[in-house]
Amino acid sequence: MTERDGSEPLRPSDHVDGAADTGVNSPALGVVGWLRWGWRQLTSMRTALVLLLLLAIAAVPGSIFPQRMANPNGVTQWQRDNPDLFPILDGMQLFDVYMSAWFSAIYILLFVSLVGCILPRTKHHWKALRSRPPRTPARLSRLDDHLAQRIDGHPDDAKHAIDLAEAQLRASGYRVERYDDRRGWSVSAERGYLRETGNLVFHASLVGVLLAVGIGGGFAYTGQRVVIEGQTVVNALVDYSSMNRGRFVSDGALSPYAMRLNSFDVTYQPWGTSGAGQAGDFAANVTVREPDGGTSDGAVRVNHPLEVAGERVYLLGNGYAPTITVRDADGTTVYSESVPFLPQDANLTSLGVVKIADGLPEQLGMLGFLYPTQQKLSTGAFTSVYGDLINPVLTLNVYSGDLGIDEGVPRSVYELDPSGMTQLTGGDTGTESIELAPGETADLPNGLGTVTFEDETPAGADRAQVGLTESVKRFASLQTHRDGSAIFVLGFAILMVLGLLTALFVPRRRVWVKATPDGDGAIDLEYAALARGDDPTLAAAIEQLRAKHLDSLEK
């Protein structure tokens, strides 16, 4: 080609240079076009995977910062410790992660993306299931997995060979279709649609899990409380230390019943044995009273929750709750309660707090340690060497001053803030901490009164036999949980696993068998296969089909 009209050589006269201003412009998408483009981007599987990853990342702050629904006291404490940073993080809804606008947006977008992916694919898959297997290609030899065999026979024998191949393929689970013409006889077969079915089941089950968690979580609730031996609690919001409930759970949604902790039994490995001091079985023995007056006994054990009125009661922890009585200088009782002491080590060295706001000349706080089996270290400090009550000792450090409970700010019953108080015993005060055994009484500093460590041994019990094992009450930390969506989540999770396994291990393939008479008393047999995706066993499968087919022809 030669240069004409100023154009460059070796280029046609109608060549358009993309860099030149030719006036060719792409049409504007418009509002509908942009919406269609956005919808296609949202409903792509790539976007769904990105949103799933974002959802996992967005849940991380919920495990870092205390959440108002689950731990309102923790949020208050965080605000008190970080007054400058709290308003910023609260504005970002980091203390209400799972109800925040951004978490909900990711959740909803993921749901819409998955539904938008599944529906078109389901429609296409349903259409493919109802369609016929494709026609036999004219040149099967072009396929990679192709085998040929020449046998003696007439045209009727060729038709018979295809009849046998059709029967064998149908028996192997293939969908088959005959395509006979004047050039020869052939059968087209395919299988592996279950692979796409499993894929769709997996993604549909993922949507089911999202729905079950999203909707079912609105009707679920979880509450924690501490119950002391002999104490009866009612299944009402006011009796819980903390309650995490869904947005659809009303104040009267809890099942009405009462529960009494009769006893808390623990077994310990005895001295001189392997693992001495280790706790064995835990059992919180309770009596449940229904509104109609009926009662039933049961036990809550570790990993063995108790079913009560559609709720599950779990055992989370346990410890000692010594009964402490405080009397003023005139001998009048101003405080007498069983106080849960939180275990600090495996031998149940426990820490507890007593707060007395009224009844004494000034507010009093006591920080106590309970040693179930007290022993003195070489440093002079006390410790517990065994979890059971063999030599129980209670020590108390006394503080006087403002407890900070009159300011309207919630305070944890397990913490004592001594910043605005005066320490009267222990530490650098020059006055030793108060030490008490069960049944003993000691004077409080400055003539404020007395404190008694009550002995809870049952009346009439033989102390020589029981020793001190029943002298201090125990408490159980119980969690009540109700979630009707759990069975649905489990069902969808099982379907997800089954769908994923099916999508991974079921091969999708097409197979053809063709018989063509050559007119010289011979028949050309061809076997070919094509995989939809990776199928490392395809070559072996087509070889097995040929061997089985030829074997049936010889019979």
Side-chain angles (χ1 to χ4, degrees):
M1 182 179 294
T2 60
E3 183 176 358
R4 294 184 303 171
D5 301 330
S7 63
E8 297 183 12
L10 304 181
R11 289 189 177 183
S13 59
D14 60 348
H15 168 73
V16 176
D17 190 349
D21 186 9
T22 60
V24 178
N25 296 314
S26 300
L29 288 178
V31 177
V32 176
W34 279 110
L35 289 176
R36 184 181 293 111
W37 178 86
W39 174 254
R40 288 176 179 173
Q41 297 301 313
L42 177 61
T43 55
S44 67
M45 189 54 62
R46 177 178 57 189
T47 301
L49 292 175
V50 171
L51 288 172
L52 188 61
L53 177 62
L54 285 177
L55 188 69
I57 297 175
V60 172
S63 61
I64 298 177
F65 299 99
Q67 301 298 295
R68 280 193 174 88
M69 291 294 295
N71 187 12
N73 289 333
V75 176
T76 303
Q77 182 64 39
W78 210 97
Q79 181 181 10
R80 187 163 55 246
D81 296 339
N82 305 273
D84 297 330
L85 187 59
F86 180 82
I88 300 174
L89 298 183
D90 193 31
M92 298 169 61
Q93 299 180 298
L94 293 182
F95 301 100
D96 299 281
V97 168
Y98 307 110
M99 299 181 64
S100 64
W102 47 271
F103 189 87
S104 300
I106 298 174
Y107 194 96
I108 294 173
L109 285 174
L110 175 60
F111 175 78
V112 173
S113 179
L114 287 173
V115 172
C117 291
I118 293 171
L119 291 182
R121 290 179 60 180
T122 302
K123 180 181 178 181
H124 177 75
H125 183 53
W126 176 250
K127 184 179 180 180
L129 287 174
R130 301 177 64 186
S131 63
R132 300 170 58 191
R135 294 187 64 86
T136 305
R139 296 179 178 83
L140 290 175
S141 58
R142 292 183 175 181
L143 300 179
D144 292 336
D145 294 287
H146 173 265
L147 298 174
Q149 185 75 35
R150 187 178 180 85
I151 63 174
D152 297 332
H154 300 286
D156 290 341
D157 295 327
K159 182 177 181 301
H160 176 65
I162 296 303
D163 290 338
L164 289 176
E166 179 182 1
Q168 290 175 0
L169 290 170
R170 196 183 300 275
S172 299
Y174 285 86
R175 297 170 60 235
V176 299
E177 187 72 26
R178 286 287 292 269
Y179 292 101
D180 300 338
D181 54 36
R182 59 184 178 84
R183 292 173 295 178
W185 291 265
S186 66
V187 60
S188 176
E190 62 180 357
R191 74 174 183 184
Y193 281 98
L194 195 60
R195 182 189 188 99
E196 179 65 11
T197 302
N199 205 337
L200 291 173
V201 168
F202 170 78
H203 289 94
S205 299
L206 181 57
V207 173
V209 170
L210 292 176
L211 284 174
V213 173
I215 298 176
F219 295 94
Y221 55 85
T222 301
Q224 295 84 29
R225 56 187 167 191
V226 171
V227 186
I228 302 171
E229 286 180 326
Q231 182 181 6
T232 299
V233 292
V234 179
N235 193 39
L237 292 177
V238 294
D239 262 10
Y240 282 95
S241 303
S242 65
M243 171 62 72
N244 183 12
R245 53 175 174 163
R247 64 187 66 188
F248 305 123
V249 179
S250 62
D251 293 344
L254 278 65
S255 303
Y257 65 85
M259 178 183 294
R260 183 180 190 274
L261 179 60
N262 299 319
S263 63
F264 189 88
D265 300 332
V266 186
T267 58
Y268 293 95
Q269 289 293 105
W271 290 105
T273 63
S274 177
Q278 292 184 359
D281 184 39
F282 299 89
N285 303 304
V286 299
T287 297
V288 179
R289 186 171 66 251
E290 303 289 347
D292 58 3
T295 60
S296 61
D297 295 329
V300 187
R301 290 183 167 86
V302 178
N303 298 327
H304 291 83
L306 179 67
E307 297 277 354
V308 181
E311 302 176 349
R312 285 191 170 189
V313 181
Y314 296 86
L315 177 62
L316 298 184
N318 69 93
Y320 290 102
T323 302
I324 299 174
T325 300
V326 176
R327 298 177 177 85
D328 62 15
D330 297 329
T332 303
T333 300
V334 297
Y335 180 93
S336 183
E337 291 185 15
S338 297
V339 183
F341 274 47
L342 304 182
Q344 305 297 304
D345 57 29
N347 292 319
L348 267 69
T349 300
S350 304
L351 172 66
V353 171
V354 177
K355 298 180 181 180
I356 305 172
D358 301 304
L360 295 176
E362 53 186 337
Q363 293 183 347
L364 212 64
M366 291 186 283
L367 186 65
F369 280 92
L370 175 67
Y371 308 93
T373 303
Q374 181 261 353
Q375 192 173 82
K376 195 171 186 178
L377 301 176
S378 58
T379 60
F382 288 171
T383 188
S384 177
V385 295
Y386 195 70
D388 208 355
L389 296 170
I390 296 179
N391 180 34
V393 171
L394 174 67
T395 64
L396 296 170
N397 285 342
V398 183
Y399 297 81
S400 64
D402 184 10
L403 291 172
I405 60 178
D406 298 329
E407 302 172 0
V409 179
R411 302 274 185 173
S412 173
V413 297
Y414 303 107
E415 296 180 357
L416 178 65
D417 183 7
S419 57
M421 308 185 73
T422 302
Q423 186 171 355
L424 303 180
T425 64
D428 299 329
T429 61
T431 303
E432 293 185 356
S433 301
I434 297 175
E435 296 182 17
L436 298 171
E440 292 183 349
T441 300
D443 292 329
L444 292 172
N446 301 335
L448 294 174
T450 61
V451 57
T452 302
F453 180 11
E454 302 289 352
D455 188 347
E456 300 291 343
T457 303
D462 188 351
R463 174 55 67 82
Q465 293 182 355
V466 302
L468 294 171
T469 57
E470 300 183 16
S471 59
V472 181
K473 290 183 178 180
R474 299 194 72 126
F475 73 85
S477 178
L478 302 179
Q479 175 177 284
T480 301
H481 178 70
R482 182 166 191 167
D483 186 2
S485 66
I487 186 65
F488 297 100
V489 174
L490 175 62
F492 285 125
I494 293 174
L495 287 176
M496 285 178 62
V497 174
L498 294 177
L500 182 60
L501 293 176
T502 302
L504 290 176
F505 297 109
V506 173
R508 177 85 181 273
R509 60 177 61 150
R510 287 173 176 170
V511 175
W512 295 275
V513 179
K514 187 176 182 181
T516 306
D518 64 358
D520 295 331
I523 301 173
D524 292 325
L525 295 176
E526 293 182 271
Y527 308 87
L530 180 66
R532 297 288 298 273
D534 295 332
D535 190 352
T537 63
L538 186 62
I542 199 65
E543 177 62 37
Q544 183 180 11
L545 172 64
R546 181 181 70 164
K548 184 177 180 181
H549 184 240
L550 293 176
D551 183 63
S552 64
L553 288 175
E554 294 176 357
K555 294 181 180 179

